[in-house]
Amino acid sequence: MFTKIDHVGIAVADLDTAIEFYEQTFGLTCVHIETNHAQGVREAMLSFGESGDLIQLLAPLTPESAIAKFLDRNGPGIQQLACTVEDVVQVADELRAKGLRLLYDEPRPGTAGSLINFVHPKDAGGVLIELVQPPATVPA
Ligand code: V0V
């Protein structure tokens, strides 16, 4: 069902400060920056060398953003585990059939042309699991 870890999402208060910290301190490389108004975030993907491993830094755009709420409750830290799937609609249906709540009836736009949905953290052991269908497999 899950083919790999797509990324680990980390809530941060200030995106530019966090990018600088991860680049300067750990030698990661920022490979993508995007604003997703529907999700209420400005986000950046940082890569670990040539491994393909990524973290996603997520900063809130508005006080109503899920990331603003997370920061208010927990402070900065890991907010989500994002898993790559081949077909987000099909995987969401399979998980619903197993009794898990998905946050959206239909997938929504994610980073760089991906399609995303989320499993409610209360149905996944306290972890917000994001399903990510990569852009290459999203129908035009
Ligand atoms: C909330 N809870 C979490 C959590 N957020 N637990 C683990 N991880 C998280 N990130 C817990 C919270 O402590 C409560 O536990 C319980 O869930 C329900 O909380 P709530 O107050 O009813 O719900 P909210 O308002 O905090 O909302 C939680 C959800 C929200 C997950 C529904 O954050 C959401 O809609 N997330 C999906 C969208 C999102 O995260 N967008 C930003 C990333 P207790 O107190 O009841 O025990 S956008 C993104 O990833 C993109 C664009 C991308 O990857 O491409």
Side-chain angles (χ1 to χ4, degrees), residues 99-116:
L100 278 64
R101 285 168 290 168
L102 276 291
L103 293 185
Y104 309 140
D105 291 338
E106 301 293 337
R108 297 187 182 176
T111 192
S114 60
L115 276 180
I116 61 174

Side-chain angles (χ1 to χ4, degrees), residues 6-7 9 34 36 38-41 43 45 56 58 65-67 69-70 73-74 78-80 82 103-104 108-112 114-122 125-132:
D6 195 274
H7 60 265
E34 182 174 333
N36 186 324
Q39 289 291 338
V41 297
E43 51 105 346
M45 286 293 191
Q56 181 184 48
L58 294 152
S65 160
I67 298 301
K69 203 165 175 187
F70 183 92
R73 192 184 270 141
N74 307 289
I78 293 179
Q79 188 254 353
Q80 56 168 260
L103 293 185
Y104 309 140
R108 297 187 182 176
T111 192
S114 60
L115 276 180
I116 61 174
N117 205 336
F118 295 86
V119 179
H120 196 286
K122 289 293 168 189
V127 179
L128 176 62
I129 299 215
E130 180 182 357
L131 311 179
V132 183

